[in-house]
Coordinates of all heavy atoms in Angstrom, one line a residue:
M10 N 5.2 6.8 54.6 CA 6.4 5.9 54.8 C 6.9 5.4 53.4 O 6.1 4.9 52.7 CB 6.0 4.8 55.7 CG 7.1 3.8 56.1 SD 6.6 2.7 57.4 CE 8.0 2.7 58.3
P11 N 8.1 5.6 53.1 CA 8.6 5.2 51.8 C 8.6 3.7 51.6 O 8.8 3.0 52.6 CB 10.0 5.8 51.7 CG 10.4 6.0 53.1 CD 9.1 6.3 53.9
E12 N 8.4 3.3 50.4 CA 8.5 1.9 50.1 C 9.9 1.4 50.1 O 10.8 2.1 49.9 CB 7.9 1.6 48.7 CG 6.4 1.9 48.6 CD 5.9 1.5 47.2 OE1 6.6 0.7 46.5 OE2 4.9 2.0 46.8
E13 N 10.0 0.1 50.4 CA 11.4 -0.5 50.3 C 11.8 -0.6 48.9 O 11.0 -0.8 48.0 CB 11.3 -1.9 50.9 CG 11.0 -1.9 52.4 CD 11.0 -3.4 53.0 OE1 11.6 -4.3 52.4 OE2 10.4 -3.5 54.0
P14 N 13.1 -0.5 48.6 CA 13.6 -0.7 47.2 C 13.3 -2.1 46.7 O 13.4 -3.1 47.4 CB 15.1 -0.4 47.3 CG 15.4 0.0 48.7 CD 14.2 -0.2 49.6
L15 N 13.0 -2.1 45.4 CA 12.7 -3.4 44.8 C 13.9 -4.1 44.4 O 14.9 -3.4 44.0 CB 11.8 -3.2 43.5 CG 10.4 -2.6 43.8 CD1 9.7 -2.3 42.4 CD2 9.6 -3.5 44.6
T16 N 13.9 -5.4 44.4 CA 15.0 -6.1 43.8 C 14.8 -6.2 42.3 O 13.8 -5.9 41.8 CB 15.0 -7.6 44.4 OG1 13.8 -8.2 44.0 CG2 15.1 -7.6 45.9
R17 N 15.9 -6.5 41.6 CA 15.8 -6.5 40.1 C 14.7 -7.6 39.7 O 14.0 -7.3 38.8 CB 17.1 -6.9 39.5 CG 18.1 -5.8 39.7 CD 19.4 -6.2 39.0 NE 20.4 -5.2 39.3 CZ 21.6 -5.2 38.8 NH1 22.0 -6.2 38.1 NH2 22.5 -4.2 39.1
K18 N 14.7 -8.7 40.4 CA 13.8 -9.7 40.0 C 12.3 -9.2 40.2 O 11.5 -9.4 39.3 CB 14.0 -11.0 40.9 CG 13.2 -12.2 40.5 CD 13.6 -13.4 41.4 CE 12.7 -14.6 41.0 NZ 13.1 -15.7 41.9
E19 N 12.1 -8.6 41.3 CA 10.7 -8.1 41.5 C 10.4 -7.0 40.5 O 9.2 -6.9 40.0 CB 10.6 -7.6 43.0 CG 9.3 -7.0 43.4 CD 8.2 -8.1 43.4 OE1 8.6 -9.3 43.6 OE2 7.0 -7.8 43.3
Y20 N 11.3 -6.1 40.3 CA 11.1 -5.0 39.3 C 10.7 -5.6 37.9 O 9.8 -5.2 37.3 CB 12.3 -4.1 39.2 CG 12.2 -3.0 38.2 CD1 11.4 -1.9 38.5 CD2 12.8 -3.1 37.0 CE1 11.3 -0.9 37.5 CE2 12.7 -2.1 36.0 CZ 11.9 -1.0 36.3 OH 11.8 0.0 35.4
R21 N 11.5 -6.6 37.5 CA 11.2 -7.2 36.2 C 9.9 -7.9 36.1 O 9.2 -7.9 35.1 CB 12.4 -8.2 35.8 CG 13.6 -7.4 35.5 CD 14.7 -8.4 35.1 NE 16.0 -7.7 34.9 CZ 17.2 -8.1 35.1 NH1 17.3 -9.4 35.6 NH2 18.3 -7.4 34.9
R22 N 9.5 -8.5 37.3 CA 8.3 -9.2 37.3 C 7.1 -8.2 37.2 O 6.2 -8.4 36.5 CB 8.1 -10.0 38.6 CG 6.9 -10.9 38.7 CD 6.8 -11.7 40.0 NE 6.7 -10.8 41.2 CZ 5.5 -10.2 41.6 NH1 4.4 -10.4 40.9 NH2 5.5 -9.5 42.6
R23 N 7.2 -7.1 37.9 CA 6.2 -6.1 37.8 C 6.1 -5.5 36.4 O 5.0 -5.2 35.9 CB 6.4 -5.0 38.8 CG 6.1 -5.4 40.2 CD 6.2 -4.2 41.2 NE 6.0 -4.7 42.6 CZ 6.0 -3.8 43.6 NH1 6.2 -2.6 43.4 NH2 5.8 -4.3 44.8
Q24 N 7.2 -5.3 35.8 CA 7.3 -4.7 34.4 C 6.6 -5.7 33.4 O 5.9 -5.3 32.5 CB 8.7 -4.4 34.0 CG 9.4 -3.3 34.7 CD 8.7 -2.0 34.4 OE1 8.2 -1.7 33.3 NE2 8.6 -1.1 35.4
A25 N 6.9 -7.0 33.6 CA 6.2 -8.0 32.7 C 4.7 -8.0 32.9 O 4.0 -8.1 32.0 CB 6.8 -9.4 33.0
Q26 N 4.3 -7.9 34.2 CA 2.8 -7.8 34.5 C 2.2 -6.6 33.8 O 1.1 -6.7 33.3 CB 2.6 -7.9 36.0 CG 2.8 -9.2 36.6 CD 2.6 -9.1 38.1 OE1 2.5 -8.0 38.7 NE2 2.5 -10.3 38.8
A27 N 2.9 -5.5 33.9 CA 2.3 -4.3 33.4 C 2.3 -4.4 31.8 O 1.3 -3.9 31.2 CB 3.2 -3.1 33.8
A28 N 3.3 -5.0 31.2 CA 3.3 -5.2 29.8 C 2.1 -6.1 29.3 O 1.5 -5.9 28.2 CB 4.6 -5.7 29.3
Q29 N 1.8 -7.1 30.1 CA 0.7 -8.0 29.8 C -0.6 -7.3 29.9 O -1.5 -7.5 29.1 CB 0.7 -9.2 30.7 CG 1.9 -10.1 30.4 CD 1.9 -11.3 31.4 OE1 1.2 -11.3 32.3 NE2 2.9 -12.2 31.1
V30 N -0.8 -6.4 30.9 CA -2.0 -5.7 31.1 C -2.3 -4.6 30.1 O -3.4 -4.4 29.6 CB -2.1 -5.1 32.6 CG1 -3.3 -4.3 32.8 CG2 -2.0 -6.3 33.6
A31 N -1.2 -3.8 29.8 CA -1.3 -2.7 28.9 C -1.5 -3.2 27.5 O -0.8 -4.1 27.0 CB -0.1 -1.8 29.0
P32 N -2.4 -2.6 26.7 CA -2.6 -3.1 25.3 C -1.4 -2.6 24.5 O -0.9 -1.4 24.7 CB -3.9 -2.4 24.9 CG -4.0 -1.2 25.8 CD -3.4 -1.6 27.1
S33 N -0.9 -3.4 23.7 CA 0.3 -3.0 22.9 C -0.2 -2.5 21.5 O -1.3 -2.8 21.1 CB 1.2 -4.3 22.7 OG 0.5 -5.2 21.9
T34 N 0.6 -1.6 21.0 CA 0.3 -1.1 19.7 C 0.6 -2.1 18.6 O 1.6 -2.9 18.7 CB 1.1 0.2 19.4 OG1 2.5 -0.1 19.5 CG2 0.7 1.3 20.3
P35 N -0.2 -2.2 17.6 CA 0.1 -3.2 16.6 C 1.4 -3.0 15.8 O 1.8 -1.8 15.6 CB -1.1 -3.1 15.6 CG -1.7 -1.8 15.9 CD -1.4 -1.4 17.3
A36 N 2.0 -4.0 15.4 CA 3.3 -3.9 14.7 C 2.9 -3.3 13.3 O 1.8 -3.4 12.8 CB 3.9 -5.2 14.5
P37 N 3.9 -2.6 12.6 CA 3.6 -2.0 11.3 C 3.1 -3.0 10.3 O 2.2 -2.6 9.5 CB 4.9 -1.4 10.9 CG 5.7 -1.2 12.2 CD 5.2 -2.3 13.1
R38 N 3.5 -4.2 10.4 CA 3.0 -5.1 9.4 C 1.6 -5.6 9.6 O 1.0 -6.1 8.8 CB 4.0 -6.3 9.3 CG 4.0 -7.1 10.6 CD 4.9 -8.4 10.4 NE 4.9 -9.1 11.7 CZ 6.0 -9.2 12.4 NH1 7.2 -8.8 12.0 NH2 6.0 -9.8 13.6
D39 N 1.1 -5.4 10.9 CA -0.2 -5.7 11.2 C -1.2 -4.7 10.8 O -2.4 -4.9 10.7 CB -0.4 -6.0 12.7 CG 0.4 -7.2 13.2 OD1 0.8 -8.0 12.3 OD2 0.7 -7.3 14.4
L40 N -0.8 -3.5 10.5 CA -1.7 -2.4 10.1 C -2.0 -2.5 8.6 O -1.3 -3.0 7.8 CB -1.0 -1.0 10.3 CG -0.6 -0.6 11.7 CD1 0.1 0.7 11.7 CD2 -1.9 -0.4 12.5
S41 N -3.2 -2.0 8.3 CA -3.6 -2.0 6.9 C -2.8 -0.9 6.2 O -2.2 -0.1 6.8 CB -5.1 -1.8 6.7 OG -5.4 -0.5 7.2
R42 N -2.8 -0.9 4.9 CA -2.0 0.0 4.2 C -2.6 1.5 4.4 O -1.8 2.4 4.6 CB -2.1 -0.3 2.7 CG -1.3 0.6 1.8 CD -1.4 0.2 0.4 NE -0.3 0.9 -0.4 CZ 0.4 0.4 -1.3 NH1 0.2 -0.9 -1.7 NH2 1.3 1.1 -1.9
E43 N -3.9 1.6 4.5 CA -4.5 2.9 4.7 C -4.1 3.4 6.1 O -3.8 4.6 6.3 CB -6.0 2.9 4.5 CG -6.4 2.7 3.1 CD -6.4 1.2 2.7 OE1 -6.4 0.3 3.6 OE2 -6.4 0.9 1.5
A44 N -4.2 2.5 7.1 CA -3.9 2.9 8.5 C -2.4 3.3 8.6 O -2.1 4.3 9.3 CB -4.2 1.8 9.4
H45 N -1.6 2.6 7.9 CA -0.1 2.9 8.0 C 0.1 4.3 7.3 O 0.9 5.1 7.9 CB 0.7 1.8 7.3 CG 2.2 2.1 7.3 ND1 2.9 2.1 8.5 CD2 3.0 2.4 6.3 CE1 4.1 2.4 8.2 NE2 4.3 2.6 6.9
L46 N -0.5 4.6 6.2 CA -0.3 5.8 5.5 C -0.9 7.0 6.4 O -0.3 8.0 6.5 CB -1.0 5.8 4.2 CG -0.4 5.0 3.1 CD1 -1.2 5.0 1.8 CD2 1.0 5.5 2.8
Q47 N -2.0 6.7 7.0 CA -2.6 7.8 7.9 C -1.7 8.0 9.1 O -1.5 9.2 9.5 CB -4.0 7.3 8.4 CG -4.7 8.4 9.2 CD -6.1 7.9 9.7 OE1 -6.4 6.8 9.6 NE2 -6.8 8.9 10.2
Q48 N -1.1 7.0 9.7 CA -0.2 7.1 10.8 C 1.0 7.9 10.4 O 1.5 8.8 11.1 CB 0.1 5.8 11.4 CG 0.9 5.8 12.7 CD 1.2 4.4 13.2 OE1 1.3 3.4 12.4 NE2 1.3 4.3 14.5
T49 N 1.5 7.6 9.3 CA 2.7 8.3 8.8 C 2.5 9.7 8.5 O 3.3 10.6 8.8 CB 3.2 7.6 7.5 OG1 3.5 6.2 7.7 CG2 4.5 8.2 7.0
K50 N 1.3 10.0 7.9 CA 0.9 11.4 7.6 C 0.7 12.2 8.9 O 1.2 13.3 9.0 CB -0.4 11.4 6.9 CG -0.9 12.8 6.4 CD -2.2 12.7 5.6 CE -2.6 14.1 5.2 NZ -3.9 14.0 4.5
Q51 N 0.1 11.6 9.9 CA 0.0 12.3 11.2 C 1.4 12.6 11.9 O 1.6 13.7 12.4 CB -0.9 11.5 12.2 CG -2.3 11.5 11.8 CD -3.1 10.5 12.7 OE1 -2.6 9.8 13.5 NE2 -4.5 10.6 12.6
A52 N 2.3 11.6 11.8 CA 3.6 11.8 12.3 C 4.3 13.0 11.6 O 5.0 13.8 12.2 CB 4.4 10.5 12.3
L53 N 4.2 13.0 10.3 CA 4.8 14.0 9.5 C 4.2 15.4 9.8 O 5.0 16.4 9.9 CB 4.6 13.7 8.0 CG 5.4 14.7 7.0 CD1 6.9 14.6 7.3 CD2 5.1 14.2 5.6
E54 N 2.9 15.5 10.0 CA 2.3 16.7 10.3 C 2.7 17.2 11.7 O 3.0 18.4 11.9 CB 0.8 16.6 10.4 CG 0.1 16.6 9.0 CD -1.4 16.6 9.2 OE1 -2.0 17.0 10.2 OE2 -2.1 16.1 8.2
A55 N 2.9 16.3 12.6 CA 3.3 16.7 14.0 C 4.8 17.2 13.9 O 5.1 18.2 14.6 CB 3.2 15.5 14.9
E56 N 5.6 16.6 13.1 CA 7.0 17.0 13.0 C 7.0 18.4 12.4 O 7.8 19.3 12.8 CB 7.8 16.0 12.2 CG 9.2 16.4 12.0 CD 10.0 15.4 11.1 OE1 9.5 14.2 11.0 OE2 10.9 15.8 10.5
R57 N 6.3 18.6 11.3 CA 6.2 19.9 10.6 C 5.7 21.0 11.6 O 6.2 22.2 11.6 CB 5.4 19.9 9.4 CG 6.0 19.1 8.3 CD 5.1 19.1 7.1 NE 5.7 18.4 6.0 CZ 5.1 18.1 4.9 NH1 3.8 18.4 4.7 NH2 5.7 17.4 3.9
T58 N 4.7 20.7 12.3 CA 4.1 21.7 13.3 C 5.2 22.1 14.3 O 5.3 23.3 14.6 CB 2.9 21.1 14.0 OG1 1.9 20.8 12.9 CG2 2.2 22.1 14.9
T59 N 5.9 21.1 14.8 CA 6.9 21.4 15.8 C 8.0 22.3 15.3 O 8.5 23.2 15.9 CB 7.5 20.1 16.4 OG1 6.4 19.3 16.9 CG2 8.5 20.3 17.5
R60 N 8.4 22.0 14.0 CA 9.5 22.8 13.4 C 9.0 24.2 13.1 O 9.7 25.2 13.4 CB 9.8 22.1 12.1 CG 11.1 22.6 11.5 CD 11.6 21.9 10.2 NE 11.0 20.6 10.1 CZ 10.7 20.0 8.9 NH1 10.9 20.6 7.8 NH2 10.2 18.8 8.9
L61 N 7.7 24.3 12.7 CA 7.2 25.7 12.4 C 7.1 26.5 13.7 O 7.4 27.7 13.7 CB 5.8 25.6 11.8 CG 5.2 26.9 11.4 CD1 6.0 27.6 10.4 CD2 3.8 26.6 10.8
K62 N 6.7 25.8 14.8 CA 6.6 26.5 16.1 C 7.9 27.1 16.5 O 8.1 28.2 17.0 CB 6.0 25.6 17.2 CG 4.6 25.3 17.1 CD 4.2 24.4 18.2 CE 2.7 24.0 18.2 NZ 2.4 23.1 19.3
H63 N 9.0 26.2 16.3 CA 10.3 26.6 16.7 C 10.8 27.8 15.9 O 11.3 28.8 16.4 CB 11.3 25.5 16.5 CG 12.7 25.7 16.9 ND1 13.1 25.8 18.2 CD2 13.8 25.9 16.2 CE1 14.4 26.0 18.3 NE2 14.8 26.1 17.0
R64 N 10.5 27.8 14.6 CA 10.9 28.9 13.7 C 10.2 30.2 14.1 O 10.7 31.3 14.1 CB 10.7 28.6 12.2 CG 11.6 27.6 11.7 CD 11.4 27.3 10.2 NE 12.3 26.3 9.7 CZ 12.2 25.8 8.5 NH1 11.2 26.2 7.7 NH2 13.0 24.9 8.1
L65 N 8.9 30.1 14.3 CA 8.1 31.3 14.7 C 8.5 31.9 16.0 O 8.6 33.1 16.1 CB 6.6 30.9 14.7 CG 5.9 30.7 13.4 CD1 4.5 30.2 13.6 CD2 6.0 31.9 12.5
N66 N 8.9 31.0 17.0 CA 9.4 31.5 18.2 C 10.7 32.4 18.0 O 10.9 33.4 18.6 CB 9.6 30.4 19.2 CG 8.4 29.9 19.8 OD1 7.3 30.5 19.8 ND2 8.4 28.6 20.3
W67 N 11.6 31.8 17.2 CA 12.8 32.6 16.9 C 12.5 33.9 16.2 O 13.2 34.9 16.4 CB 13.8 31.7 16.1 CG 14.6 30.8 17.0 CD1 14.4 29.5 17.1 CD2 15.7 31.2 17.8 NE1 15.4 29.0 18.0 CE2 16.2 30.0 18.4 CE3 16.3 32.4 18.0 CZ2 17.2 30.1 19.3 CZ3 17.4 32.4 18.9 CH2 17.8 31.3 19.6
A68 N 11.6 33.9 15.2 CA 11.2 35.1 14.5 C 10.6 36.1 15.4 O 11.0 37.3 15.3 CB 10.2 34.8 13.4
I69 N 9.8 35.7 16.3 CA 9.2 36.7 17.3 C 10.2 37.3 18.2 O 10.3 38.5 18.4 CB 8.1 36.0 18.1 CG1 6.9 35.7 17.2 CG2 7.6 36.9 19.3 CD1 5.8 34.8 17.8
G70 N 11.1 36.4 18.6 CA 12.2 36.9 19.5 C 13.1 37.9 18.8 O 13.5 38.9 19.3
G71 N 13.5 37.6 17.5 CA 14.3 38.5 16.7 C 13.7 39.8 16.5 O 14.3 40.9 16.5
L72 N 12.4 39.8 16.1 CA 11.7 41.0 15.9 C 11.6 41.9 17.2 O 11.7 43.1 17.1 CB 10.3 40.8 15.4 CG 10.2 40.3 13.9 CD1 8.8 39.9 13.5 CD2 10.7 41.3 13.0
S73 N 11.4 41.2 18.3 CA 11.3 41.9 19.6 C 12.7 42.6 19.9 O 12.7 43.8 20.3 CB 11.0 41.0 20.7 OG 9.7 40.4 20.5
V74 N 13.7 41.9 19.6 CA 15.1 42.5 19.9 C 15.3 43.7 18.9 O 15.8 44.7 19.3 CB 16.2 41.4 19.7 CG1 17.6 42.0 19.6 CG2 16.1 40.4 20.8
A75 N 14.9 43.5 17.6 CA 15.0 44.6 16.7 C 14.2 45.8 17.1 O 14.7 47.0 16.9 CB 14.6 44.1 15.3
I76 N 13.0 45.6 17.6 CA 12.2 46.8 18.0 C 12.9 47.5 19.1 O 13.0 48.8 19.2 CB 10.8 46.3 18.4 CG1 10.0 45.9 17.1 CG2 10.1 47.4 19.1 CD1 8.7 45.2 17.4
V77 N 13.4 46.8 20.1 CA 14.1 47.4 21.2 C 15.3 48.2 20.8 O 15.6 49.3 21.2 CB 14.5 46.3 22.3 CG1 15.5 46.9 23.3 CG2 13.3 45.8 22.9
I78 N 16.1 47.6 19.8 CA 17.3 48.3 19.3 C 16.9 49.6 18.6 O 17.5 50.6 18.8 CB 18.1 47.4 18.4 CG1 18.7 46.2 19.2 CG2 19.1 48.1 17.6 CD1 19.4 45.2 18.3
V79 N 15.8 49.6 17.8 CA 15.4 50.8 17.1 C 15.0 51.9 18.1 O 15.3 53.0 17.9 CB 14.2 50.4 16.1 CG1 13.5 51.7 15.6 CG2 14.7 49.6 15.0
Y80 N 14.2 51.5 19.1 CA 13.8 52.4 20.1 C 15.0 53.0 20.9 O 15.1 54.2 21.2 CB 12.9 51.8 21.2 CG 11.4 51.8 20.7 CD1 10.7 50.6 20.6 CD2 10.8 53.0 20.4 CE1 9.4 50.6 20.2 CE2 9.4 53.0 20.0 CZ 8.8 51.8 19.9 OH 7.5 51.8 19.5
L81 N 16.0 52.2 21.2 CA 17.2 52.7 21.8 C 18.0 53.7 20.9 O 18.5 54.8 21.3 CB 18.2 51.6 22.2 CG 17.7 50.7 23.4 CD1 18.6 49.5 23.6 CD2 17.6 51.6 24.6
I82 N 18.0 53.4 19.6 CA 18.7 54.3 18.6 C 18.0 55.6 18.6 O 18.5 56.7 18.6 CB 18.8 53.6 17.3 CG1 19.8 52.5 17.3 CG2 19.2 54.6 16.2 CD1 19.9 51.6 16.1
L83 N 16.6 55.5 18.5 CA 15.8 56.8 18.4 C 15.9 57.6 19.6 O 15.9 58.8 19.6 CB 14.4 56.4 18.1 CG 14.1 55.9 16.7 CD1 12.7 55.5 16.5 CD2 14.5 56.9 15.6
F84 N 16.0 56.9 20.8 CA 16.1 57.6 22.1 C 17.4 58.4 22.2 O 17.5 59.6 22.6 CB 15.9 56.7 23.2 CG 16.0 57.3 24.6 CD1 14.9 58.1 25.0 CD2 17.1 57.1 25.4 CE1 15.0 58.6 26.3 CE2 17.2 57.7 26.6 CZ 16.1 58.5 27.1
F85 N 18.5 57.7 21.8 CA 19.8 58.3 22.1 C 20.2 59.3 20.9 O 21.0 60.2 21.1 CB 20.9 57.3 22.2 CG 20.8 56.6 23.6 CD1 20.5 55.3 23.7 CD2 21.0 57.3 24.7 CE1 20.4 54.6 24.9 CE2 21.0 56.7 26.0 CZ 20.6 55.4 26.1
V86 N 19.8 59.0 19.7 CA 20.1 59.9 18.6 C 19.2 61.1 18.5 O 19.6 62.2 18.2 CB 20.1 59.1 17.2 CG1 20.3 60.0 16.0 CG2 21.2 58.0 17.3
G87 N 17.9 60.9 18.7 CA 16.9 61.9 18.5 C 16.8 62.7 19.7 O 16.6 63.7 20.1

């Protein structure tokens, strides 16, 4: 049986309770210098990895298309 829709007041109350229960991440000024540098380094590595994955996917796709084109040329010309 589906739940009844929440009122805005009830929704906000539940969100506030969830925010109090869930541990919050420390603000940047609360982090030590080493922790901040490590966090920044990890974020940069993740960004670079994502960018490299995207480029490699495009390179693999391009090479696959090139191989198919070469086979078609060899089939029809040879």
Side-chain angles (χ1 to χ4, degrees):
M10 183 168 220
E12 293 183 23
E13 293 181 23
L15 297 176
T16 62
R17 289 183 187 181
K18 184 178 180 180
E19 182 67 21
Y20 177 77
R21 288 181 184 149
R22 188 180 62 78
R23 286 188 183 181
Q24 291 297 324
Q26 285 177 347
Q29 289 174 356
V30 172
S33 62
T34 57
R38 64 175 177 246
D39 294 341
L40 295 175
S41 67
R42 184 177 193 140
E43 293 83 19
H45 181 67
L46 289 174
Q47 184 180 13
Q48 188 179 26
T49 304
K50 185 178 178 182
Q51 288 174 349
L53 185 60
E54 280 184 28
E56 181 182 334
R57 286 180 180 170
T58 302
T59 304
R60 194 176 337 147
L61 183 60
K62 285 180 182 179
H63 184 72
R64 287 182 182 173
L65 287 174
N66 285 339
W67 276 104
I69 291 169
L72 288 173
S73 299
V74 169
I76 289 170
V77 169
I78 290 172
V79 167
Y80 276 121
L81 289 174
I82 289 173
L83 291 174
F84 180 75
F85 286 115
V86 173

